[in-house]
């Protein structure tokens, strides 16, 4: 086993290990960092809050940063999402959305609505590692072992165009996967509470980018069949796709939205599940009606985490962060083109500041490297030698630059990654 890298400190887009080596943070410390490490404005906000109070419970009480942040989240998320429920990780934000959606239908007057107990999600979906979020997940590698513990979920085929589950290709595809979604809804809508989706990009699946219009079409179908749409923006939210939220690209207004990862700028664990008034109102009633949503995590709405999130959003606003991202996303998109010159690059998928480079043993047949080749892992270790931290998903090399990364740093990210892929794949060809 290789020696573990032990991080000592960070600065902007770089991390330093305990031996003083410097690395570019090409994973945003697992898809979370927005403004770079040790950003003065966020540090200050946390310090100031620390001097007021580090934690007070949100069960029965409120605290100032949690109130201000809830207001802010309502302002910046798609119209209609007016209520905020806090928790502390992406997985919990999803659990909460699932439980709210389920209970929402259980509390309807019309008896037939109470049969709406199942969820639809996509194959290859990833929504977290708790049992509920695993139940709606679609990645066999992470999920198959736990099958006996999971609740039943209906899976629609992912829009994974490079390896289309319906066997289509660019020339004969008319988004047949949407037709499948429609068939499923038509068959199952009476028993379905909600459709859960990672909008535009299925991250952990390997940056599977949906074709344009797919998300809006799914949203429309959900409305037509009166099924709640849950947008899991845990990975894609807060600028990652080049807009504040992925739903913004197609004007989609989900009924529930899950937020985490980038919410605090990558500083502290915090998550939020947003809901519409219609959903919120279904939980109102007399005490003895027991319509309350009985769910609460001990550290929910933690003031330090909420302060970090407020400082993150404040910085985004003051620096026209989303506007400034456009040049970077164009640079990244352009810089990725050269990877097609590498013989073992099968597919390059990207949107905004997230990219996946799928490595294949043979490009014509799209045949994957065998797991034993450990190709992704070897590439990222090679990159590490050259001063870059990235993390693969199987045979897919993932690039998730810190959103504030400069153009020269993005070039560094691209060129080290290119060299690492070239070195490792050529070495493998020789053996
Ligand atoms: C990372 C991720 C999660 C889980 O978030 P955690 O904070 O790790 O629990 C859920 N959904 C998506 C889309 C994610 O990328």
């Amino acid at each position: 086993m290789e020696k573990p890298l032990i991080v000592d400190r960070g600065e902007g887009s770089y991390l330093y290990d305990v031996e003083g080596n410097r690395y570019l943070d090409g994973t945003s410390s697992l898809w979370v960092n927005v403004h770079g490490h040790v950003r003065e404005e966020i540090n200050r906000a946390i310090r100031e809050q620390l001097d007021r109070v580090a934690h007070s419970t949100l069960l029965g009480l409120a605290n100032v940063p949690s109130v201000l942040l809830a207001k802010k989240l309502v302002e910046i998320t798609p119209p209609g999402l007016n209520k905020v429920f806090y928790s502390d990780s992406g997985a919990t934000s999803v659990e909460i959305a699932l439980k709210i959606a389920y209970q929402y239908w259980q509390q309807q007057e019309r008896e037939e609505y109470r049969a709406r107990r199942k969820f639809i999600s996509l194959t290859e979906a990833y929504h977290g590692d708790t049992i509920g979020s695993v139940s709606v997940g679609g990645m066999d590698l992470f999920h198959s072992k736990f099958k006996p513990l999971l609740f039943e979920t209906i899976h629609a085929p992912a829009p994974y165009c490079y390896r289309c589950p319906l066997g289509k290709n660019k020339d004969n595809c008319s988004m047949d996967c949407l037709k499948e979604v429609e068939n499923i809804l038509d068959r199952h809508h009476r028993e379905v509470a909600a459709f859960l989706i990672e909008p535009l990009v299925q991250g952990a699946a390997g940056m599977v980018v949906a074709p344009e219009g797919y998300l809006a079409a799914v949203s429309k179908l959900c409305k037509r069949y009166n099924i709640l749409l849950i947008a899991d923006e845990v990975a894609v939210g807060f600028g990652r796709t080049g807009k504040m939220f992925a739903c913004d690209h197609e004007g989609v207004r989900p009924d529930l939205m899950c937020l985490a990862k980038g919410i605090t700028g990558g500083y502290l664990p915090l998550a939020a599940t947003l809901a519409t008034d219609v959903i919120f109102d279904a939980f109102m009633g007399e005490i003895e009606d027991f319509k309350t949503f009985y769910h609460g995590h001990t550290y929910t709405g933690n003031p330090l985490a909420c302060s970090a999130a407020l400082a993150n959003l404040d910085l985004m606003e003051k620096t026209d962060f989303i506007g400034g991202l456009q040049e970077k996303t164009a640079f990244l998109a352009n810089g990725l083109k050269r990877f097609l010159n590498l013989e073992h690059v099968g597919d390059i998928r990207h949107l905004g500041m997230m990219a996946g480079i799928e490595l294949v043993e043979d490009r014509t047949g799209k045949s994957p490297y065998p797991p034993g080749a450990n190709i992704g892992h070897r590439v990222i270790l090679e990159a590490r030698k050259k001063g870059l931290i990235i993390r693969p998903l199987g045979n897919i090399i993932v690039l998730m630059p810190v959103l504030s990364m400069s153009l020269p740093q993005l070039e560094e990210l691209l060129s080290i990654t290119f060299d690492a892929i070239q070195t490792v794949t050529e070495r493998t060809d020789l053996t």
Side-chain angles (χ1 to χ4, degrees):
M1 225 179 94
E2 71 273 3
K3 225 169 78 184
L5 190 165
I6 302 173
V7 172
D8 179 42
R9 63 186 186 89
E11 191 183 322
S13 304
Y14 292 97
L15 292 168
Y16 295 79
D17 70 10
V18 286
E19 287 163 12
N21 300 307
R22 188 181 82 159
Y23 305 91
L24 192 62
D25 186 354
T27 63
S28 295
S29 291
L30 234 293
W31 312 7
V32 296
N33 200 286
V34 177
H35 302 285
H37 297 285
V38 197
R39 186 68 190 231
E40 181 47 35
E41 292 88 338
I42 304 179
N43 284 17
R44 198 187 316 128
I46 296 171
R47 269 192 221 109
E48 283 174 10
Q49 182 57 42
L50 189 56
D51 287 335
R52 304 187 77 81
V53 65
H55 181 69
S56 63
T57 184
L58 223 64
L59 307 186
L61 310 176
N63 67 61
V64 174
S66 73
V67 174
L68 295 176
L69 179 61
K71 182 165 182 284
K72 196 84 218 164
L73 290 175
V74 167
E75 271 168 35
I76 63 173
T77 47
L81 296 167
N82 292 334
K83 303 292 177 188
V84 178
F85 195 99
Y86 288 115
S87 61
D88 38 39
S89 74
T92 55
S93 76
V94 170
E95 293 283 339
I96 288 162
L98 297 175
K99 285 174 72 179
I100 289 177
Y102 174 86
Q103 191 174 336
Y104 168 80
W105 292 111
Q106 290 308 304
Q107 291 179 178
Q108 298 298 314
E109 292 287 323
R110 281 171 69 170
E111 195 178 336
E112 71 205 63
Y113 281 163
R114 280 175 245 145
R116 296 181 165 232
R117 295 172 175 195
K118 287 187 190 156
F119 295 92
I120 303 175
S121 61
L122 298 181
T123 55
E124 309 299 322
Y126 178 79
H127 297 287
D129 285 339
T130 54
I131 293 297
S133 57
V134 167
S135 294
V136 286
M139 293 180 72
D140 268 355
L141 177 67
F142 298 165
H143 302 150
S144 58
K145 274 208 180 79
F146 300 101
K147 275 243 159 78
L149 298 183
L150 309 179
F151 56 75
E152 191 193 333
T153 297
I154 301 162
H155 286 299
Y160 189 174
C161 301
Y162 180 60
R163 299 183 187 280
C164 175
L166 304 174
K168 298 283 174 169
N169 60 48
K170 260 200 210 112
D171 306 318
N172 65 9
C173 159
S174 48
M175 279 210 249
D176 303 47
C177 47
L178 271 175
K179 196 77 207 144
E180 258 314 289
V181 170
E182 187 169 357
N183 290 341
I184 288 172
L185 287 177
D186 198 50
R187 223 175 309 136
H188 296 285
H189 66 99
R190 287 175 208 88
E191 44 166 350
V192 168
F195 195 119
L196 171 64
I197 192 167
E198 294 164 81
L200 296 192
V201 188
Q202 292 186 274
M207 305 300 132
V208 171
V209 182
E212 214 178 304
Y214 176 85
L215 177 66
V218 166
S219 166
K220 225 165 122 186
L221 284 169
C222 287
K223 290 224 159 43
R224 193 200 304 161
Y225 285 96
N226 194 17
I227 282 168
L228 300 178
L229 178 66
I230 307 173
D232 177 355
E233 292 243 7
V234 169
V236 292
F238 300 100
R240 185 49 71 181
T241 65
K243 288 193 188 275
M244 193 53 126
F245 297 103
C247 283
D248 297 342
H249 286 268
E250 301 192 354
V252 166
R253 301 174 172 199
D255 301 286
L256 289 152
M257 189 185 248
C258 306
L259 302 174
K261 290 201 166 97
I263 190 169
T264 60
Y267 266 62
L268 288 165
L270 180 72
T273 306
L274 280 85
T276 59
D277 290 323
V278 173
I279 292 178
F280 181 85
D281 290 342
F283 292 78
M284 296 287 105
E286 300 304 321
I287 292 174
E288 59 272 25
D289 295 342
F290 300 113
K291 286 191 170 177
T292 306
F293 181 55
Y294 292 104
H295 186 115
H297 296 282
T298 309
Y299 276 97
T300 184
N302 174 263
L304 292 175
C306 289
S307 298
L310 278 167
N312 171 38
L313 295 177
D314 194 47
L315 261 178
M316 283 182 116
E317 222 168 79
K318 280 194 181 126
T319 58
D320 181 25
F321 195 75
I322 300 294
L325 268 180
Q326 307 314 311
E327 193 188 12
K328 296 175 204 274
T329 61
F331 184 86
L332 186 65
N334 198 41
L336 282 165
K337 286 183 192 151
R338 73 177 104 133
F339 284 75
L340 279 177
N341 297 326
L342 292 169
E343 207 184 311
H344 292 281
V345 169
D347 192 25
I348 300 170
R349 301 179 284 272
H350 61 91
L351 183 71
M353 292 285 267
M354 58 203 303
I357 302 162
E358 182 160 343
L359 303 180
V360 287
E361 193 159 45
D362 161 55
R363 193 189 258 175
T364 332
K366 300 186 183 180
S367 50
Y369 278 101
N374 210 7
I375 199 81
H377 192 65
R378 283 163 54 213
V379 167
I380 69 120
L381 288 184
E382 185 66 25
R384 194 176 296 178
K385 280 194 227 156
K386 298 172 159 85
L388 168 66
I389 293 174
I390 46 177
R391 204 181 139 77
L393 289 158
N395 295 338
I396 296 153
I397 306 302
V398 172
L399 302 183
M400 279 275 188
V402 168
L403 293 185
S404 62
M405 203 173 264
S406 67
L407 298 187
Q409 289 167 347
L410 281 172
E411 180 49 40
E412 188 185 348
L413 168 82
L414 288 163
S415 73
I416 296 177
T417 306
F418 187 94
D419 289 348
I421 293 174
Q422 187 166 41
T423 305
V424 170
T425 53
E426 281 178 3
R427 204 185 289 147
T428 308
D429 284 346
L430 293 175
T431 56

